[in-house]
Amino acid sequence: MKSVDVRAKSTEELNDQLLQLKKEQFNLRFQRASGQLENTARVQVVRRDIARIKTVLGERSRSAEAGK
């Protein structure tokens, strides 16, 4: 996922996607701990996607506060 794609989505969509990614991250952690994780690169991709979404949500909240 690219930052352009993240910025194009609404805040509600981003919150939904953030929840999905956190669930996936949780599952990946369990797979890694039990030795069943096949695609180890997916862990890093999910972490970066979560960070991108949180960054955009933070920017939006700060700009909304500044606009008040």
Side-chain angles (χ1 to χ4, degrees):
M1 176 185 327
K2 298 190 179 214
S3 60
V4 175
D5 300 333
V6 174
R7 292 180 194 281
K9 293 185 178 187
S10 70
T11 304
E12 187 176 313
E13 289 174 327
L14 289 177
N15 285 326
D16 290 341
Q17 185 149 14
L18 182 62
L19 184 62
Q20 282 181 327
L21 287 171
K22 284 190 176 245
K23 286 180 183 178
E24 183 177 356
Q25 184 182 36
F26 180 78
N27 290 330
L28 289 172
R29 270 190 277 142
F30 268 92
Q31 287 177 11
R32 185 191 312 175
S34 65
Q36 296 177 349
L37 185 62
E38 293 179 8
N39 186 2
T40 57
R42 183 68 184 151
V43 175
Q44 187 175 11
V45 170
V46 169
R47 285 183 63 214
R48 287 184 178 176
D49 286 345
I50 289 172
R52 280 188 191 101
I53 291 173
K54 283 187 170 184
T55 300
V56 170
L57 288 173
E59 288 173 353
R60 288 182 183 177
S61 69
R62 283 190 296 277
S63 67
E65 288 178 12
K68 287 183 178 178

